[in-house]
Amino acid sequence: MQKIEKPKKPLIFYYFVAMVVVILLNTLLFPRLMHQEITQVDYGTFLTMLENKEVAVAQVEQDVIYFTDTSEEPGMYATIPFNDPDLVNRLWESGCMFAQVKPQEMNPILSFLLTFILPVVIFIAIGQLMSRALMKKLGGGPMGGAMQFGKSSAKVYIASETGMKFTDVAGEDEAKENLMEVVDFLHNPQKYQEIGAKMPKGVLLVGPPGTGKTLLAKAVAGEAGVPFFSISGSEFVEMFVGMGANKVRDLFKQANEKAPCIVFIDEIDTIGKKRDASGMGGGNDEREQTLNQLLTEMDGFEGSKGVVILAATNRPETLDPALLRPGRFDRRVPVELPDLQGREAILKVHAARVKLAENVDFNAIARAASGASGAELANMVNEAALRAVRQGRKFVTQEDLQESIEVVIAGYQKKNKILSDHERMIVSYHEIGHALVAALQTHSAPVAKITIIPRTSGALGYTMQVEQEERNLMSREELENQIATLTGGRAAEEIVFHSITTGASNDIEKATKLARAMVTRYGMTDDFDMVALETVTNQYMGGDTALACAPETSAKIDQMVVDTVKTQHGKALKLLKDNEGKLHELSKFLCEKETITGEEFMRILEKKD
Ligand code: ADP
Ligand code: MG
Ligand code: ZN
């Protein structure tokens, strides 16, 4: 991709230069001009100099004598005269001149002009000159608006050989199809106009972070072969009120001139947030003005003119409804987390840039990386390549990739973290507790790996479960089993050590979240039937929820969540007690080996004593 416009230096830079110049002038030049240094000497010295004929010029005032010496660069002196009747004679005899020595006091008005007004004038003149030159460089008119602060800094992209293509985006087929239609429209508008079809004015890409929204937009730029204006929502947020709105106006003016073209506004939620009906705060004026301007501009041009507005966000629920109504962003393209196939494809796209061993099995990696976004997968491939370099190999192996999944999920191995023997024992039992409960329940995913090597994320160990195939639906039993598995770690500690530790905090958080969702969102309790008690407020960013029920109901929900977790905890305790022999055997094995595979685990579990 090739940028047409160079990023310009902010105007403030030139003012800064001007200011430095003025300060230099003021401190170095003016003081010399105006106050030449006068050396005070005593009367004796003056008389000696007179006798030695070293005085060149003298000026006698009532209570001070100014004089200069006879050197090449005469210095100026002053002395206080004594009541010396001989003074005139002495002066006469020394042969010095009688003349003005001290320069005339400067006219106070002139001095003021020189020290205060002149710098300011120079300052402004330089600033004007610079900004004038700048405007010329940018091709604006001679006066091109008083200042350039409000100019949109949208970068203009044109297609070039280096640009992204749709083939760089793996998976996301629906989104690609959608955007290809947009590109096709820009190339063959008559095909659509003949039937009377209008292109949507705005296309909004929504999805979790790292799923390739920005990447897709770049691919559109690469494929479209029309000018592509790209700007991030945060760039509209300006220092001065009204400037954001100005930028929007300017952006659309440029777009209209260059049509057919595409305007891409990334992270549109920064300017497109719901306007505040209550008028609280009052500090949102600027953002509101910007949004209003955007709405106005979107209404202002004809869809058939060939300006398509593309926007991306990962917080669609926060957008102002006015943005989403027909005629504005009327097409919403979901860019979701990749499924198994998608993950495999993304891994392959990124792995094409690294040297691979022959036995690499992308499917296995994709399965283990369930829930990872495109950005995380790209990161995994890179981590694997870095690991290969660290180990002095010339290619990436399956182990590199497997380890890199764990790096991205759990952080690096923390080699210098030393656990005491007792702690290692506890962590081993905790992890085996999870794994054993998972394995003993029919509906739980099989165990792939268990390790007690601490990670930089703070995890002291973990159990990796990998589903055989991609899951889209979860039954109530499966969710309950997941909760039981999460409580399995703590349950094992209780059974063996008769005490509990902080090691289960993450498990507790997850189990609570699951149990709560079962009650409030999945309608899985008899008491509340199919009633939604919570709504998701932040679908793509952590899935925050907001309670939507009476306080009494809320208390009841809490009780049911506690009951659900308690029941599953009890189940886990029972499962582990019934298999205490295996629990001990497996834990000792793990404690010795630090990391065991799913097969090793199953072998010991299925071995008959
Ligand atoms: P978003 O804008 O949705 O937050 P980005 O488009 O910035 O995500 O994606 C970040 C990086 O992740 C991309 O530069 C790319 O390397 C990688 N990536 C994400 N999704 C995909 C995908 N579907 N195919 C290939 N690479 C992807
Ligand atoms: Mg992005
Ligand atoms: Zn745990």
Side-chain angles (χ1 to χ4, degrees), residues 210 212-215 264 266-267 312 314:
K213 296 180 294 297
T214 308
L215 184 68
F264 174 53
D266 207 357
E267 316 282 350
N314 40 35

Side-chain angles (χ1 to χ4, degrees), residues 185-186 189 193 226 255 258-262 301-308:
F185 169 81
L186 292 174
Q193 279 156 5
V226 296
K258 298 254 165 63
C261 66
I262 297 169
F301 65 86
E302 280 297 308
S304 55
K305 204 169 166 213
V307 181
V308 174

Side-chain angles (χ1 to χ4, degrees), residues 64 159 263 464 478 536:
V64 65
V263 175
M464 213 162 121
E478 286 166 329
V536 179

Side-chain angles (χ1 to χ4, degrees), residues 452-529:
I452 54 166
I453 298 173
R455 294 275 167 172
T456 46
S457 66
L460 296 178
Y462 62 90
T463 304
M464 213 162 121
Q465 285 175 274
V466 176
E467 300 271 359
Q468 280 308 334
E469 52 207 83
E470 196 83 341
R471 306 300 308 270
N472 297 305
L473 285 174
M474 296 288 275
S475 68
R476 178 154 139 187
E477 288 69 40
E478 286 166 329
L479 288 174
E480 283 172 351
N481 287 349
Q482 275 193 7
I483 298 176
T485 301
L486 285 166
T487 60
R490 164 68 65 86
E493 290 180 42
E494 284 170 273
I495 292 172
V496 180
F497 302 98
H498 305 290
S499 79
I500 50 180
T501 68
T502 53
S505 56
N506 195 304
D507 304 331
I508 290 170
E509 203 182 311
K510 284 193 203 153
T512 311
K513 232 179 179 167
L514 265 180
R516 204 173 174 85
M518 286 174 70
V519 179
T520 61
R521 284 163 45 212
Y522 303 149
M524 286 179 173
T525 54
D526 296 331
D527 295 47
F528 292 126
D529 204 49

Side-chain angles (χ1 to χ4, degrees), residues 303-325:
S304 55
K305 204 169 166 213
V307 181
V308 174
I309 301 160
L310 216 59
T313 178
N314 40 35
R315 320 197 48 178
E317 14 352 62
T318 65
L319 289 183
D320 197 287
L323 265 178
L324 302 174
R325 67 135 235 246

